[in-house]
Amino acid sequence: MPSGKGSKLLRYIEHRLRVSIADGRTIVGTFLAFDKHLNLVLVDAEEFRTLKNKKGSEARAAIIEERQEKRSLGLIILRGENVVSVAVEGPPPPSSAARVNAGGPGMARGAGRGVVPPPAAATVPGGPPPPGIPMGGAPMGLGAAPVHGVGGGMGMPPPPVGVVPPPGMMGRGMPPPGMGRGAGGY
């Protein structure tokens, strides 16, 4: 097993981390991902800054007051170049399935334009067709009648009796012998 920084960081995916960055801020968030540059992806992130205020005049001893400011950030990417230290704040949630949202109410259905074949259980011989497919078998909106220019049908009709095809055409649009694919003589 490799012992690089990547394999050590993998142990802490979904853990709560405290990350100190170069400008003095501290970011606390749930660790989701990282890359070869050690850029970190954190979710539910919060930023903590320590602000120092000087009170009093120049003549007296300056009294320094520190206060911490918190800001909610959400989903962030921290550039690896700015990361100074990483510390584990807490373990991952009890179940990883709890982290993934189940989705809203309703039923998932395909939204494509193709016709979905009915399930095998719904096609009972002699029984009614599944919903959305009329008795004729064609999907709704297409109708059962043939449409000009759609589909292959029966092909070209045969030439009338007694009519000779034009030179070079041996009937039904085929090239003359020796001119098609797979013909020998090359």
Side-chain angles (χ1 to χ4, degrees), residues 24-26 47-51 67-71:
R25 291 178 292 168
T26 301
E47 170 194 67
F48 295 93
R49 288 189 330 175
T50 303
L51 301 173
R67 66 183 175 98
Q68 199 165 39
E69 199 172 85
K70 176 183 168 184
R71 185 168 64 153

